[in-house]
């Protein structure tokens, strides 16, 4: 199975199929449905320095081939993660990567720092693209300066693999990607959710308590593929692609667009076994076309 | 343990204009997983271009002899409409069992009232059956708009006394469930309710005033149904809790509904 | 039927239901299917100063709940429009609005100028957001400066109603909207297509000849609604909303988000009678909720 | 005049593993609109979550007596798969008739060869019928992978001589249509062809060399089918032309295929 091995910085993935933050809980919620050790990695819930209650209900709206969410980073804070959740996860035989969020640069750095010593957390994903929080979040990911600043601060306190998750809500994603690369990120992941909105025409009110929310699911795939391709042509560090993957064909599309590995998000809700199916499909595609190593497909269009 | 299963439609009975009773079994005679009263399933809807997410549907009944799961479907939008069109022999994909369950009273002399409104009657049938099996004598109070919307009455009457209200007075007492005389005439120790939120809130208020133990089954909109998306939260005295895992059944004392 | 009348600058619409440029030909192609005079207006094909052959085939890819196009403004040029097409259209009893594109500011202005004298063309829509042409097009719509410049140039030569069509491929659409308003636009229309991409995994080639293309259809609706709402809160001139409308419910959603009128695009391909159905649905909604005038719904959430 | 019509499925015959013949009529016995040979329809596919656009399908045959439109469907992806599952009595929504048509030869002594490959045989049946009705004696040359993929042979033989090739030699001559001996043995004045692009190109080259009038029917991907999206263009000597309105039938002299 070496033909599926992928390296992202110092992070070694047994295969490129991973699951996206905020859609996969802490992984264990899926253990009834799939064998977690088959995955290349699990990106766990968005984690912040302090506990957050998240946004008010309603937090979700269904949209054509997708959904909006406004969860707002509900989590119990990094210390709770370290003391209570990490012990439950550390024996899962795959990479567990923590998605780190914050409202200030100091929060990001402090949160990252507290994760450094966890043996079985080989990497973090810096979420500078969450559209669902009032301060920080997406604001960091939509300006070159602040994206660079937050990555710089975290890089100085975190020496394992640092993945930076980019926002698609920008005019030119390659500028942000380049800035982040320049500050020492080991990889970028994209896309986070597109900012969207939905209105209940009978109540004449926004469906979400926060008015706007993050759009995900198959509907965003063409935008995500485009951004991966643009970014692939702009930077040298690896890209972890995501946005609307619902089949192995979609995963191959992301890889051909320039992703070294992929994450599956929303579609886990519809089919909690999708990640296993995607992995099998990728293997069959590689056999059919006699691809000797998955890296031979990355960006090859 | 939660499962993703393909079940086969064995029956699909239209009960009235908008309600359908779907009966499902396993394709290979394998035993259905154990389901608790109050739990629900997440149904995948194929063939509907406007339905992306699964649809949460309560366990209406489990017929252990026939190895059948019953789902009571109210047609609301395209998702439930497609489910209502299922034909015998068709395959339906489900995640199950999901959520917690109603809690069994401790004292065998408890006086139990199960209040259902609209499609909220769905979980009460199975809960009534389990209560009867456990030696209780549940009472059912079922509310609907009109006589033709009172569903499964024969089934309910197998497990306990059935009282009804209709908004137009075509059956039972006229008005809402909270106005039914049984609430005056009988002293209950426990109330379990599921239905439209205003109804459940009125019931909760009543129970709280009378100091009656009360559990409500919530229907917050869900994206996953198994605790990973955090979209279905209800604000409780213990913070935002997921209705799909910490519920759908809550004791009203834990909610922020009353004072 | 006065309750449906809408004014956009000096343009009077008998109702808010219009059809989007590039999806409705010159209108006459639909006359077998619907009564064109029922429409509030028709935005005809993107027109440029000089004739354009458009991009190479393939120009289209189907995507989840939408499609990508890479037509690239194929048209015979404004003079041909004036001499050959306009005479065929001028007796249609609705507003015919020409969508104007260009590669340079001079092109835009010259093209607009040549349309000024056409009696039955009461307005133009300035397309500063086309993602499918190499120079100009979207580039104008993604920077505040160049958007302002092109609007200024056109405004100085065109004195009828000037609608500016905005690109969604920006970090902050309200900045562009404000710049365009400041230069004297009478209204803005949004959104044009999102930049997307699709890959044929068997050929390992982009599906479109141009690699990337414009995404439209129901999949983009949540993004469009959000942008209309943001823009509604930022400017005073009217908004013509579009992006994924496939039912009267969608149209109401756009109006509640802040659109004074709407355009239906891609869905005309699937149901060429959709515009009539949307109009009927809006009327029934207004009756049901006793809305005395359509303007009472605009932005009312 | 183009119409959007709901038609009813009267028959759905599976012809082999991947091919289905769908017969449709009007729900109210209204006469079907006139359709010309070579024209196509745009079919709306409901019930397929991955199918957004309509699907272009050739007019395979019009049975004027029975007021039936025939569509020959090759299952490719989910759109055609859903069409293949249509049941008798179901409604299918179509735009029709679309596109231009094959052109009738002037001279009654013309020697005509209609070449179809794969699902490209579809338009040839109706064209053959119209030609025969007009007093011509069309010849059909039909190519397929294997004997079981040669479809509607009985129908074809009603309207003219039928020649066949299969790639595996299980029926007719072994090889591709362009290798068939009839091309050597008979002199044709006109060739009409529809099928995979490499096949049509080979036929066009042959016709061009022999100075035979040749029309090809193209299958460019389409978004609308009636000339408004400009997605289906073919580069011709007169610039980019829409296959859905200026085609699908083109004279090879107008295309840029040969030199
Ligand atoms: C735990 C749980 C148990 C349920 N049990 C049953 C059951 O046994 N039988 C049954 O018929 N239904 C049940 N429901 C409700 C059912 O899930 C919804 O009616 C269904 O999802 C609607 O899908 P649709 O595609 O038909 O309509 P949609 O097209 O999704 O919705 C149509 C309209 O209804 C509104 N709507 C949809 N779902 C809800 C909701 N849950 N709350 C408020 N508004 C909503 C939408 O906003 C929309 O305006 C249950 C819901 C939950 C959460
Ligand atoms: C004028 C015209 C007439 C046609 N007549 C018939 C007919 O009579 N019977 C019939 O069965 N089919 C006919 N077709 C082809 C038919 O339209 C396609 O097979 C159908 O649209 C595929 O839809 P799908 O959802 O099944 O597959 P999709 O999921 O859309 O496609 C599956 C795969 O096939 C590729 N593909 C799809 N359509 C085409 C195409 N047109 N050209 C090249 N690649 C394509 C896609 O890129 C994709 O990779 C005709 C097409 C045209 C343009
Ligand atoms: C309910 C929900 C919650 C999410 N929470 C987070 C989060 O906490 N941190 C983060 O970086 N991304 C979060 N995301 C974004 C996803 O990780 C992913 O980037 C996005 O959904 C696109 O992929 P998809 O279309 O496959 O879902 C969330 C997405 C959803 C649907
Ligand atoms: C095939 C096609 C061609 C288009 N051509 C133009 C154009 O020439 N000028 C323009 O401003 N917008 C053009 N558009 C964009 C539409 O007018 C509209 O802004 C967009 O499609 C979003 O609306 P919809 O989702 O309803 O289609 C085109 C869209 C499509 C699908
Ligand atoms: S529905 Fe996803 S957590 Fe409850
Ligand atoms: S398919 Fe739209 S113009 Fe031909």
């Amino acid at each position: 199975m070496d033909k599926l091995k992928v390296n992202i910085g110092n992070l070694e993935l047994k295969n490129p199929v991973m699951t996206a933050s905020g859609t996969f809980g802490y992984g264990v919620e899926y253990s009834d449905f799939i064998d977690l050790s088959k995955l290349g990695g699990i990106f766990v819930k968005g984690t912040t320095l302090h506990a957050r209650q998240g946004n008010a209900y309603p937090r979700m709206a269904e949209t054509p081939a997708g959904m909006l969410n406004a969860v707002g980073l509900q989590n119990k804070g990094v210390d709770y993660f370290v003391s209570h959740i990490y012990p439950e996860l550390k024996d899962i035989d795959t990479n567990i990567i923590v998605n780190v969020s914050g409202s200030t640069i100091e929060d990001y750095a402090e949160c990252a720092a507290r994760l450094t010593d966890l043996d079985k957390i080989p990497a973090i994903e810096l979420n500078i693209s969450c559209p669902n929080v009032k301060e920080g979040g997406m604001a960091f990911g939509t300006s070159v300066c602040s994206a660079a600043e937050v990555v710089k601060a975290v890089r100085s306190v975190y020496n394992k693999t640092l993945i930076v998750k980019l926002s698609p809500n920008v005019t030119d994603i390659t500028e942000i990607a380049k800035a982040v690369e320049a500050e020492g990120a080991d990889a970028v992941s994209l896309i986070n959710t597109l900012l969207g909105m939905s209105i209940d025409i009978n109540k004449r009110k926004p469906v979400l308590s926060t008015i706007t929310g993050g759009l995900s699911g198959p509907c965003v795939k063409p935008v995500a593929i485009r951004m991966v391709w643009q970014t692939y042509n702009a930077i040298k560090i690896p890209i972890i692609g995501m946005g609307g993957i619902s089949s192995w064909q979609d995963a191959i599309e992301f890889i051909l667009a320039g992703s070294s590995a992929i994450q599956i998000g929303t579609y886990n809700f519809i089919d909690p076994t999708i990640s296993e199916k995607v992995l099998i499909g990728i293997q069959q595609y590689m056999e059919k076309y006699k691809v000797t190593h998955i890296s031979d497909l990355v960006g090859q269009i | 343990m939660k499962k993703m299963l393909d079940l086969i439609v064995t029956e699909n009975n239209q009960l009235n204009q908008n309600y359908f009773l779907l009966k499902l079994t396993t394709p290979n005679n394998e035993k259905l997983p154990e389901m608790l009263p109050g739990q629900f399933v997440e149904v995948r809807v194929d063939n509907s271009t406007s339905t992306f997410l699964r649809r949460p549907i309560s366990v209406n009944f489990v017929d252990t002899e026939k190895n059948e799961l019953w789902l009571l479907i109210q047609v609301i939008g395209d998702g439930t409409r497609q489910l209502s069109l299922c034909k015998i022999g068709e395959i339906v994909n489900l995640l199950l069992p999901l959520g917690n369950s109603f809690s069994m009273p401790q004292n065998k002399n408890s006086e139990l009232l199960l209040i259902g409104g609209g499609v909220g009657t769905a979980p009460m049938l199975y809960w009534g059956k389990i209560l009867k099996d456990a030696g209780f004598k549940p009472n059912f109070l079922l509310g609907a708009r009109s006589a033709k919307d009172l569903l499964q009455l024969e089934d309910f009457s197998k497990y306990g006394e059935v009282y009804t209200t209709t908004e137009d007075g075509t059956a039972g007492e006229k008005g809402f469930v909270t106005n039914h005389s049984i609430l005056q005439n009988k002293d209950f120790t426990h109330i379990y309710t599921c239905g439209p939120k205003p109804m459940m809130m009125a019931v909760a208020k009543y129970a709280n005033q009378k100091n009656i133990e009360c559990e409500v089954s919530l229907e917050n909109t869900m994206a996953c149904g198994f605790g990973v998306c955090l979209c279905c939260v209800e604000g409780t005295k213990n913070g935002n809790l997921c209705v799909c895992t910490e519920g759908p059944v809550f004791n009203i004392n834990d909610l922020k509904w009353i004072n």
Side-chain angles (χ1 to χ4, degrees), chain A, chain B:
Chain A
M1 291 263 293
D2 272 2
K3 47 199 266 196
L4 288 172
K5 270 199 185 159
V6 176
N7 290 324
I8 304 282
N10 292 324
L11 178 65
E12 286 186 11
L13 311 177
K14 55 183 109 172
N15 66 62
V17 179
M18 305 190 280
T19 54
S21 176
T23 68
F24 213 72
Y26 292 106
V28 284
E29 296 88 339
Y30 283 84
S31 57
D32 281 358
F33 298 115
I34 54 166
D35 176 356
L36 296 172
S37 73
K38 293 245 177 84
L39 295 172
I42 296 172
F43 287 72
V44 303
K45 246 179 226 176
T47 300
T48 48
L49 184 58
H50 305 295
R52 292 179 58 103
Q53 274 294 312
N55 296 316
Y57 178 84
R59 293 180 174 182
M60 138 11 223
E62 197 178 28
T63 65
M67 63 173 279
L68 291 166
N69 89 79
V71 172
L73 295 174
Q74 177 177 336
N75 79 102
K76 298 195 167 157
V78 68
D79 292 339
Y80 186 89
F81 175 83
V82 171
S83 57
H84 289 79
I85 302 173
Y86 174 68
E88 305 289 314
L89 308 182
K90 70 178 180 10
D91 297 326
I92 301 177
D93 179 22
T94 186
N95 292 297
I96 306 287
I97 297 150
V98 179
N99 178 270
V100 169
S101 257
S103 314
T104 64
I105 291 185
E106 294 70 38
D107 281 5
Y108 273 104
E110 183 58 33
C111 186
R114 295 196 195 175
L115 292 163
T116 318
D117 295 337
L118 302 183
D119 264 7
K120 295 295 180 67
I121 306 289
I124 60 171
E125 180 182 50
L126 220 57
N127 176 8
I128 57 168
S129 44
C130 181
N132 293 324
V133 290
K134 279 217 189 63
E135 322 91 32
M138 194 172 91
F140 286 108
T142 56
S143 120
V144 170
C145 289
S146 55
E149 251 184 290
V150 65
V151 174
K152 186 180 193 165
V154 172
R155 180 76 292 178
S156 71
V157 298
Y158 189 79
N159 54 15
K160 294 177 173 176
T161 300
L162 177 60
I163 302 161
V164 180
K165 187 162 178 183
L166 305 181
S167 170
N169 301 294
V170 294
T171 308
D172 184 357
I173 198 164
T174 65
E175 283 183 11
I176 316 274
K178 282 188 255 179
V180 153
E181 179 182 41
E183 294 298 344
D186 296 301
V188 292
S189 56
L190 59 145
I191 61 172
N192 208 317
T193 52
L194 278 165
L195 196 60
M197 175 172 170
S198 178
I199 295 172
D200 183 323
I201 64 166
N202 294 306
K203 297 188 186 143
R204 294 193 206 161
K205 290 271 159 261
V207 177
L208 300 177
S209 69
T210 47
I211 305 181
T212 60
L215 183 66
S216 63
C219 58
V220 308
K221 196 187 67 172
V223 173
I225 294 283
R226 181 262 295 183
M227 290 188 164
V228 168
W229 172 243
Q230 289 178 322
T231 306
Y232 179 75
N233 288 299
I235 62 173
K236 297 212 173 58
I237 53 174
I239 296 169
I240 302 172
M242 80 194 91
I245 296 178
S246 73
S247 65
W248 65 263
Q249 288 91 338
D250 293 342
I252 297 284
E253 210 180 331
F254 271 90
I255 293 167
L256 290 171
S259 310
S260 297
I262 58 105
Q263 293 178 30
I264 303 169
T266 308
Y267 213 76
N268 288 300
F269 305 159
I270 286 100
D271 182 355
T273 68
I274 185 65
S275 49
E276 276 189 2
K277 290 175 186 159
V278 166
L279 180 57
I280 293 168
I282 291 177
Q283 285 169 300
Q284 286 172 348
Y285 177 90
M286 287 173 68
E287 263 161 48
K288 179 174 167 195
Y289 288 109
K290 305 204 183 344
V291 179
T292 51
H293 194 274
I294 187 78
S295 57
D296 297 339
L297 292 174
V298 178
Q300 297 310 306
I301 51 169
Chain B
M1 181 164 152
K2 296 187 281 287
K3 288 194 175 175
M4 181 162 84
L5 285 182
D6 281 335
L7 297 186
I8 297 194
V9 178
T10 54
E11 275 187 49
N12 182 359
N13 301 323
Q14 179 158 12
L15 303 184
N16 70 17
Q17 213 195 331
N18 289 316
Y19 280 82
F20 292 76
L21 183 63
L22 217 61
K23 300 189 180 178
L24 304 161
T25 193
T26 54
N28 43 14
N29 281 321
E30 208 188 309
K31 220 171 147 284
L32 282 167
E34 201 198 333
M35 284 169 269
L36 303 174
Q39 288 192 310
F40 66 98
V41 301
E42 281 275 3
V43 189
R44 178 146 171 184
V45 184
D46 296 317
N47 300 346
S48 164
T49 36
S50 60
T51 307
F52 171 62
L53 298 164
R54 286 175 182 266
R55 294 296 186 254
I57 302 289
S58 307
V59 172
N60 174 232
F61 195 73
V62 181
D63 185 332
T64 39
E65 270 165 50
K66 290 195 176 163
N67 199 37
E68 275 180 346
L69 165 64
W70 297 12
L71 302 179
L72 182 69
I73 308 282
Q74 179 187 18
V75 175
I76 296 282
D78 201 51
T80 46
R81 194 178 65 84
Q82 289 295 341
L83 290 179
S84 78
L85 297 175
C86 277
K87 298 206 176 59
I88 292 175
E90 250 178 74
I91 295 284
V92 180
N93 183 277
L94 297 95
L95 304 182
L96 84 180
L98 304 174
N100 66 358
S101 64
F102 293 112
S103 29
M104 192 60 81
Q106 302 294 316
N107 185 331
K108 291 285 155 177
N109 297 323
S110 305
E111 289 289 343
L112 314 179
L113 183 63
L114 280 56
I115 307 182
V119 79
T121 60
M124 295 307 164
L125 183 62
Y126 186 45
W127 179 217
K129 193 240 177 208
I130 297 287
L131 284 169
K132 183 168 184 212
D133 286 355
F136 292 95
K137 289 196 191 128
N139 299 281
F140 299 103
L141 174 52
L142 309 174
R145 198 155 300 175
S146 188
K148 65 178 187 335
D149 304 317
L150 286 167
L151 307 170
Q152 301 184 298
L153 293 184
E154 258 180 62
D155 294 304
F156 277 108
S157 64
K158 286 184 208 156
Y159 308 114
E161 218 50 65
V162 180
Y163 305 90
T164 58
T165 61
T166 54
E167 287 175 41
D168 65 359
T170 46
E173 294 186 13
K174 184 170 172 158
F176 294 108
V177 286
T178 35
N179 308 127
H180 196 281
S181 57
I182 184 77
L183 293 173
Q184 262 64 56
N185 302 341
K186 225 170 162 174
D187 284 330
F188 294 103
T189 56
H190 294 73
I191 290 179
Y192 306 90
T193 184
C194 184
K197 199 153 181 180
M199 183 201 97
M200 287 198 284
M201 285 188 147
V203 170
K205 208 172 146 195
Y206 170 84
N208 181 255
Q209 276 163 4
K210 296 259 181 173
N211 235 324
I212 302 171
E213 275 293 301
C214 180
E215 289 186 344
V216 298
S217 178
L218 305 187
E219 297 200 346
N220 289 11
T221 49
M222 297 180 173
C224 71
F226 52 97
V228 295
C229 76
L230 306 189
C231 287
C232 61
V233 290
E234 182 72 21
T236 75
K237 292 180 182 154
N238 303 312
N240 285 328
L241 294 185
C242 285
V243 169
C244 70
T245 47
E246 320 257 351
V249 178
F250 289 90
N251 190 302
I252 57 165
N253 296 325
D254 296 331
L255 297 177
K256 287 179 167 170
W257 289 10
I258 300 140
N259 57 63

